[in-house]
Amino acid sequence: MKRRLILLLIMAVLAGGCGAVETPTATAEATHVRLPMGFVANVQFAPWYVAVERGYFAEEGIELEFDYGDYDTKGIQLVAAGWTPFAIASGDQVLRARSQGMPVVTFVNWWPRFPVAVVALEKSGIQGPTDLVGRKVGIPETFGAASYIGWKALISATELDEEDVDLEVIGYAALENLTVERVEAAVVYANNEPVQLTERGYDINLIPVADYAPIVSNGVVASEEVLESEPELARALARAFLRGLEDTLNDPDSAFQICKLYVEGLEENEDVQRAVLEASLEYWRGEPLGRSDPDAWQNTVKVMEGADLLEGNVDAEEAFTNAFLPEG
């Protein structure tokens, strides 16, 4: 009863503002699917662009349309309410949604390595987690964002006493705060701010959360109902995307050229964006591609419970599935 009420409320809220997002429509040639993406086109969506341009979705009978918008959390809601079959979302969003009664499931794991890290200028002398004791560390926010979850995971895994660190909310201004030495380290995305610092000529040290704590990151999400009623569509989307991901990992130069067809003004900042893509590759590699790690899901639940980020009990094993990945 609670789950049905939640879904009805979501549908009511989204009905007015999200009319552009539609459920899939089948034609004689293909099934049209609109996929909620991030706010704007970005090189970090390279595997999707590659899969479209090389016809992998078309071969699977899918006409994929990228739907950019403010879908940081709404993508999950759209899937749960049945407005769209699939979305890109992080594992923490899936777990939070399930704790609220939304039956959403990650069926393709895109980022096997969690991309949050702590970065410091080399001259600070900060090289590992224990060096953060007594230091001022900047963080974008201290609630449910991935950066906060990553910080909590790092603290838990290394058994640091959080009170021994001077944690300060700085918003998304790590570069400015680090370079003027207002903070000595900052919680960032490992494939973004560290790249920009390096491109600006700074020597840095990086403490990736993934080196200490396995927790889940971005993947492809569907509702339990879609996975049950349209399993072949889910398998087809997984196959096409994973082919694009494999091509991107094997030939990032070609993938970057394809990105130029989708990302406006990429040539104006080509060196930095090429470096962002290269940094992202290390967080996409997995064996096999697309597989979720049960231990990472269990650990993420533990971290989120410890940070009081879940509204109810969540069974980690019900939040993901590997059943829709290509065999072999």
Side-chain angles (χ1 to χ4, degrees):
M1 185 68 176
K2 177 184 175 184
R3 175 176 292 181
R4 179 175 176 81
L5 178 59
I6 289 173
L7 295 183
L8 288 173
L9 288 172
I10 292 172
M11 292 178 72
V13 171
L14 296 177
C18 296
V21 181
E22 305 168 355
T23 52
T25 55
T27 67
E29 296 79 23
T31 298
H32 182 89
V33 174
R34 298 185 76 159
L35 184 71
M37 309 288 283
F39 188 65
V40 295
N42 191 278
V43 292
Q44 294 179 62
F45 296 128
W48 296 94
Y49 303 149
V50 169
V52 169
E53 287 302 309
R54 293 185 173 170
Y56 298 155
F57 286 107
E59 289 177 20
E60 296 288 353
I62 296 174
E63 182 185 56
L64 191 68
E65 180 180 351
F66 300 129
D67 189 3
Y68 300 103
D70 184 16
Y71 291 127
D72 186 40
T73 57
K74 281 185 180 178
I76 285 276
Q77 297 174 346
L78 293 168
V79 166
W83 285 93
T84 189
F86 310 114
I88 297 170
S90 62
D92 62 276
Q93 291 174 12
V94 171
L95 292 171
R96 188 177 295 111
R98 291 192 69 88
S99 78
Q100 297 168 348
M102 301 182 214
V104 292
V105 179
T106 294
F107 69 99
V108 180
N109 181 18
W110 177 7
W111 296 66
R113 281 175 57 82
F114 193 72
V116 171
V118 176
V119 66
L121 299 184
E122 187 178 65
K123 65 181 180 179
S124 71
I126 295 173
Q127 298 181 345
T130 57
D131 297 324
L132 299 174
V133 173
R135 303 298 190 102
K136 182 177 286 189
V137 178
I139 190 168
E141 53 198 52
T142 53
F143 46 95
S147 55
Y148 183 58
I149 294 169
W151 171 251
K152 285 290 187 179
L154 182 66
I155 290 293
S156 175
T158 57
E159 299 183 349
L160 283 177
D161 189 336
E162 196 165 8
E163 293 183 359
D164 290 338
V165 180
D166 184 7
L167 193 66
E168 180 176 331
V169 175
I170 60 172
Y172 292 89
L175 298 182
E176 295 85 344
N177 281 272
L178 279 169
T179 54
V180 300
E181 300 183 27
R182 185 172 179 273
V183 298
E184 297 168 275
V187 183
V188 297
Y189 282 95
N191 62 332
N192 189 357
E193 290 91 343
V195 170
Q196 296 188 50
L197 285 167
T198 300
E199 290 294 321
R200 295 183 187 186
Y202 290 95
D203 295 320
I204 63 170
N205 289 330
L206 196 65
I207 307 172
V209 171
D211 286 355
Y212 298 88
I215 51 179
V216 292
S217 187
N218 284 3
V220 189
V221 176
S223 66
E224 292 177 0
E225 181 181 353
V226 164
L227 294 179
E228 181 177 348
S229 64
E230 300 186 75
E232 290 309 315
L233 180 61
R235 291 190 178 95
L237 184 118
R239 283 193 298 267
F241 166 67
L242 291 174
R243 289 178 70 186
L245 177 57
E246 184 173 21
D247 284 4
T248 302
L249 292 169
N250 291 337
D251 188 1
D253 290 333
S254 294
F256 188 76
Q257 294 304 314
I258 288 175
C259 285
K260 292 180 179 180
L261 302 175
Y262 292 84
V263 184
E264 186 176 351
L266 194 58
E267 296 87 348
E268 300 169 9
N269 197 20
E270 186 163 334
D271 290 344
V272 172
Q273 293 304 311
R274 184 66 173 81
V276 168
L277 177 59
E278 284 288 348
S280 300
L281 299 179
E282 299 310 309
Y283 290 84
W284 297 344
R285 300 187 193 280
E287 198 60 47
L289 291 179
R291 180 184 178 275
S292 281
D293 177 5
D295 290 340
W297 282 93
Q298 294 285 359
N299 195 51
T300 307
V301 169
K302 179 181 176 181
V303 169
M304 294 183 71
E305 286 177 341
D308 198 26
L309 295 173
L310 298 177
E311 297 182 23
N313 294 330
V314 177
D315 186 342
E317 293 184 0
E318 294 181 352
F320 74 93
T321 177
N322 291 318
F324 296 85
L325 301 178
E327 294 183 4

